[in-house]
Each structure stands twice: as structure tokens, then as C-alpha cells.
């Protein structure tokens, strides 16, 4: 049955109840009013209820039973995903992954925009008006601009990611690649959560994440994710990862509002999936972070070797002379005592510092 047919069949059914202002905001943002139950939407899109439910859950939405809460846009989205599968462009599991990765990414973005962006714009409130009443005209003005900006940034990121894939040496390298992976962790964060007010703690975390994200991007790395008191980033080469790690330490050290920072970096084969990274190299970087001294960067043997091979650091400090020869290196490496690391055996960490620092 066509979408028009479904509209004629179900168009006169009453809408589900709800807050009138909230429903108006929802209709404004979605561009359509609630018209379909999940079964009706699946039928209109020409897909099975099972597949429609899998797509819906993958995007991060709770089951809604048979409430009439879906719109024409939901039908179109189902039809598009199912069409990609039918055309052979995506397998069914891959289509579910597309729905999941998109849902997870945009859910965080939407939460941030509502919690921070719109909240700031609606304060102070106009006399006699509630925040909800102010939010509607703001959303009406901002929605098309934010939508266009989102598409622009997504296309830019997609172009960058595609470029990295095209430059991969072979098909295996597109999934399992040799990368430098770094963790940066705020020291004593648990104690801070007991001492600081919620608003102060939120401001500290936001400042840390913002500073880290800016430094990682500015110096050619990629921010993988933030975990409140910890950030995970990657870089294609050891020198870039090392520079980012030291910059993070240097920047945070000069900020009196920030606690000490520890950074651990490892180099090796990394599995990438849905924008995240996995594998022994990632685990090693995390372990190095946990044993790093305060305001210091620890790297593994593989990253130290990459730095020396590329001429970023000397093989031995004893071989470094004075003057121009010493100035040719960016970093200094100091071997630390070997130690057992849980799940990874014996590890030989190196203390990374800036030449002349």
C-alpha cells in the first residue's frame, strides 16, 4: 500500500495525548505531526515490523508500543534504509550499524545543544514568559541554520575520512591500521567530584574537553571520544601524537583551575569501527596513562622507536652533542624501569619530554 493510501486509511485517527507546547515544538523540529503507529509506519514504508524495530532501536529510541508517535519523516527514513539494502548497496547488518552510529553521534549533539546552547539563549527570561514559550521562536529561527551547519560539518568530516581510506595501503589497512593512540587523564578527578559543586564540576569538565578537542584538532590529530575526566585521541604518526600529548600537559599546567594531567601514548595496529578504536595498542595507551607521573607523558617502546626512526628524537641522549646537532631533535626520551602491566605482560615505558624543556 502506498503512503497516500495509508494516509487515507489512518488520517482521521486521533493523535496521542501530550503537552500541547511540547507537541508543537516536536512538530516544528520534525517538520510534521504525529500520524503513525510503528506498525502503520512499517507498513507504509514497505518493510517488516521486525526490521523497522531494529532500525528504531539502533537509532537509540525506546519502544513505543502502538502509540501514534511517528511522522512521514520516519516512514521516509525507513524506506531509504530498506531501499539501500534492497539495492545491494548495504547489507542489512551494515544498515543497522549506520542507524546506530548516526543515532549515537546525533543523540549526544542534541543533548548538548538543548542542555547548554538553548538554555543559555533563553536566559534571562522575558517578563511574563516561560522558557518553553521563548524556546519555540528561537528554535524556529535557529533550526534551518543549525541544520545547514550540521550538513556542512558532516560533509567535511566525511571528505576527510574518505581521504584517509583512499590513502590506505591495502584493504586490510582500512580496518586494521597502524596509529598512535593517546589517553589524557585528569589526576584526582574522583576527589574533585566530592569537593566541587555540580555546576563547578560541569564547567571544569567542559573546559577540559574543549581545550583538549581544540589542541588535538589544531595539531592534526583526531579526537575519538571524551569520558569526562579523560580524552582519547589518535594520530597517523608518532610525532603528531607526541606533540599533542606535550601540548596538553603544557596548556593544562598553565591553567590554575585545572588539576594535574597524565598522558599515555602507544603506537601499533588499531582496529577502527564506528568512529572508535580498539585493540592491544589502545589498552596499552590506557595502562601507560594510569602509571604516568603527574604532568608527564609516558610512551611505549614502539612509539619511542618511531620517533627515533623519523628523526624526532635521538636513539640515545649520550649520542647527542651540543648546538645545531642537539637542536635538530624535537623530543627527548628517557627509559623508565620495566614493569608488569595487567593483561599486557612486561612493558618498558619511556618518559617523553620536549627538547630543551
Amino acid at each position: 500500500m502506498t503512503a497516500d493510501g495509508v494516509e487515507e486509511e489512518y488520517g482521521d485517527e486521533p493523535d496521542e495525548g501530550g503537552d500541547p507546547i511540547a507537541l508543537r515544538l516536536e512538530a516544528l523540529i520534525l517538520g510534521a505531526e504525529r500520524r503513525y503507529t510503528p506498525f502503520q509506519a512499517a507498513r507504509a514504508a514497505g518493510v517488516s515490523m521486525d526490521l523497522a524495530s531494529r532500525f528504531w532501536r539502533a537509532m537509540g529510541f525506546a519502544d513505543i508500543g502502538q502509540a501514534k508517535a511517528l511522522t512521514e519523516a520516519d516512514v521516509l527514513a525507513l524506506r531509504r534504509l530498506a531501499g539501500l539494502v534492497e539495492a545491494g548497496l548495504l547489507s542489512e547488518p551494515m544498515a543497522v550499524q549506520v542507524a546506530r552510529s548516526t543515532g549515537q553521534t546525533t543523540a549526544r549533539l542534541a543533548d548538548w545543544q538543548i542542555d547548554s546552547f538553548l538554555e543559555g539563549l533563553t536566559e534571562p527570561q522575558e517578563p511574563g514568559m516561560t522558557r518553553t514559550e521563548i524556546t519555540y521562536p528561537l528554535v524556529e529561527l535557529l533550526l534551518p541554520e543549525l541544520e545547514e551547519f550540521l550538513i556542512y560539518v558532516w560533509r567535511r568530516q566525511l571528505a576527510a575520512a574518505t581521504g584517509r581510506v583512499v590513502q590506505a595501503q591495502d584493504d586490510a589497512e582500512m580496518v586494521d591500521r597502524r596509529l598512535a593512540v593517546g589517553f589524557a587523564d585528569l589526576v584526582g578527578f574522583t576527589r574533585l567530584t566530592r569537593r566541587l559543586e555540580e555546576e563547578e564540576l560541569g564547567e571544569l569538565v567542559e573546559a577540559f574537553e574543549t581545550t583538549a578537542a581544540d589542541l588535538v584538532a589544531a595539531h592534526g590529530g583526531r579526537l575519538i571520544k571524551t569520558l569526562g575526566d579523560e580524552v582519547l585521541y589518535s594520530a597517523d604518526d608518532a610525532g603528531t601524537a607526541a606533540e599533542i600529548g606535550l601540548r596538553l600537559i603544557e596548556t593544562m599546567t598553565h591553567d590554575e583551575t585545572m588539576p594535574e594531567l597524565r598522558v599515555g601514548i602507544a603506537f601499533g595496529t588499531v582496529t577502527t569501527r564506528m568512529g572508535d578504536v580498539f585493540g592491544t595498542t589502545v589498552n596499552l595507551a590506557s595502562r601507560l596513562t594510569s602509571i604516568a607521573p603527574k604532568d608527564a607523558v609516558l610512551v611505549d617502546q614502539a612509539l619511542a622507536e618511531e620517533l627515533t626512526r623519523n628523526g624526532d628524537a635521538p636513539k640515545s641522549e649520550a649520542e647527542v652533542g651540543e648546538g645545531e646537532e642537539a637542536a635538530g631533535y624535537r623530543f627527548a626520551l628517557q627509559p623508565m624501569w620495566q614493569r608488569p602491566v595487567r593483561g599486557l605482560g612486561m612493558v618498558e615505558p619511556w618518559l617523553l619530554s620536549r627538547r630543551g624543556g
Side-chain angles (χ1 to χ4, degrees), residues 69-127:
L70 304 183
T71 71
E72 288 289 351
D74 297 301
V75 173
L76 182 59
L78 284 175
R79 190 178 297 145
R80 280 176 170 161
L81 276 176
L84 292 173
V85 175
E86 292 174 4
L89 296 173
L90 294 177
S91 65
E92 189 171 304
M94 182 59 69
V96 172
Q97 284 188 15
V98 168
R100 180 172 293 111
S101 62
T102 306
Q104 289 175 355
T105 302
T106 53
R108 183 175 183 185
L109 175 63
D111 284 342
W112 181 90
Q113 289 175 330
I114 292 300
D115 292 344
S116 301
F117 190 49
L118 290 179
E119 181 179 354
L121 284 176
T122 56
E123 293 180 351
Q125 299 178 32
E126 293 292 331

Side-chain angles (χ1 to χ4, degrees), residues 160-170 174 177:
T162 303
R164 291 193 294 269
V165 169
V166 170
Q167 293 172 17
Q169 297 299 314
D170 50 48
M174 289 191 294
R177 307 169 56 195

